[in-house]
Amino acid sequence: MVTNAGGFNPAGLAAALRDGSSVITKHSGDDGAVTVDTVTAQLVYEIQGPRYLNPDVTVHLDDVRLTADGPDRVRVDWVTGSPPPPTTKVAIFGQIGYRQVNTVYVTAPEIPAKVALLRRQLERVTPEGVHLRLTTLGTAATDPETQWDATAAVRILVTAADREALTRLGLARLLGSLYLQSYPGYFTDVAGTQRVKPGPRIEYWPGLLELDAVAHRVVLNARVLRAFLSTEEVRRLVPADRAGPNGCRTDAGHVAPDRFGASPEHMTSTITETSTKTVVRSHPAAIT
């Protein structure tokens, strides 16, 4: 089976094998490189530790083995897991208004005082309902060799509930009018493009929900399958007195056979054959 791999490389492919291992590769005509290093970088991207929490399984990344398997091919073996947490992360994105961002530059000395002057100038002409925020980015060198070494950027953000308020303010025009009436050395990057029109302001709200509250279904050939374990099933699977960093050992097919793409009998025999090993070899049925 070949499916699109996740991450920032939409051309990446993951060939999943029946024993639970996989091969990460790409089309020969696509740019980039699939190496042990690039696959490692994808695996450890934005994780909270060696236990990668998912709504259907907790993956043990410290057991994973990556092996070069030819040009632009990396084999992924020894992937083990334990039951998922009883909650799953959810997020909502929503537009909460409009914003506009531009940047000006200030040169040492007395950068804080110069930024304070700029803030007072902008506050005087900022109408009610428009919120202003100035952020100094970077620090000037103590003994600069060039003007850029002595320069810091000032990010200017204005937000409002409606677009018209920002359009009336005209931030780009306003900043352009300050060249001869603000702090000494005031300038913008004329080689860059100042944002003239306001854009939408998007807010992000993350949170946790009990697995029971997430109605996640998979449709396969007109057959509807339940994708997640319920919160109660997770708690039964990992009793409080046995739960730990490595969870407990069980046959995944007894809990969610549709989830693993093989018959429970096949999963049971495979776990039995490998039960003498400390770490079960990569297999869809392995929950350790």
Side-chain angles (χ1 to χ4, degrees):
M1 179 181 68
V2 178
T3 59
N4 286 331
F8 292 107
N9 180 14
L13 300 173
L17 308 180
R18 292 186 64 84
D19 65 353
S21 64
S22 60
V23 174
I24 308 301
T25 184
K26 71 179 186 69
H27 294 296
S28 59
D30 292 332
D31 294 332
V34 178
T35 67
V36 170
D37 286 342
T38 59
V39 173
T40 299
Q42 287 290 308
L43 283 176
V44 300
Y45 176 73
E46 290 190 350
I47 62 173
Q48 73 284 340
R51 298 294 184 263
Y52 183 45
L53 304 178
N54 291 271
D56 54 353
V57 69
T58 298
V59 183
H60 298 188
L61 294 177
D62 46 357
D63 295 328
V64 174
R65 296 184 183 180
L66 304 180
T67 308
D69 194 41
D72 288 317
R73 290 175 61 88
V74 173
R75 187 177 180 93
V76 183
D77 283 300
W78 289 81
V79 183
T80 60
S82 54
T87 58
T88 186
K89 184 178 180 180
V90 295
I92 298 175
F93 292 84
Q95 183 174 342
I96 60 172
Y98 293 85
R99 69 174 183 175
Q100 190 172 349
V101 179
N102 279 313
T103 305
V104 300
Y105 297 89
V106 56
T107 305
E110 305 296 338
I111 285 181
K114 293 175 180 177
V115 174
L117 170 61
L118 176 63
R119 179 179 289 107
R120 291 195 301 271
Q121 289 179 305
L122 295 177
E123 287 175 344
R124 288 189 62 181
V125 295
T126 299
E128 186 176 353
V130 175
H131 302 279
L132 171 72
R133 179 186 299 175
L134 274 66
T135 305
T136 303
L137 306 176
T139 304
T142 303
D143 186 17
E145 295 184 2
T146 67
Q147 179 175 335
W148 281 115
D149 292 339
T151 299
V154 180
R155 181 180 186 265
I156 302 170
L157 167 69
V158 288
T159 61
D162 62 278
R163 184 193 298 269
E164 282 303 313
L166 297 183
T167 301
R168 289 193 301 270
L169 174 66
L171 181 62
R173 173 190 54 78
L174 179 60
L175 295 177
S177 71
L178 294 179
Y179 265 91
L180 299 179
Q181 55 180 329
S182 190
Y183 55 79
Y186 173 93
F187 72 100
T188 62
D189 188 353
V190 295
T193 301
Q194 293 284 357
R195 190 179 184 95
V196 177
K197 296 181 179 180
R201 183 185 180 196
I202 307 300
E203 188 62 273
Y204 166 66
W205 295 278
L208 294 177
L209 279 181
E210 297 276 321
L211 285 179
D212 300 350
V214 183
H216 193 158
R217 302 289 185 267
V218 175
V219 179
L220 179 62
N221 296 329
R223 183 184 178 195
V224 179
L225 308 176
R226 182 164 58 90
F228 292 171
L229 305 179
S230 69
T231 302
E232 186 57 34
E233 286 172 321
V234 171
R235 288 171 176 155
R236 288 202 307 267
L237 192 60
V238 189
D241 60 346
R242 296 181 59 192
N246 295 318
C248 63
R249 194 180 196 84
T250 188
D251 182 351
H254 292 160
V255 180
D258 289 336
R259 161 79 173 80
F260 296 93
S263 67
E265 293 77 15
H266 173 69
M267 296 182 211
T268 303
S269 62
T270 305
I271 289 183
T272 301
E273 292 168 1
T274 59
S275 61
T276 57
K277 297 182 179 180
T278 303
V279 179
V280 178
R281 185 163 176 78
S282 165
H283 190 278
I287 289 186
T288 48

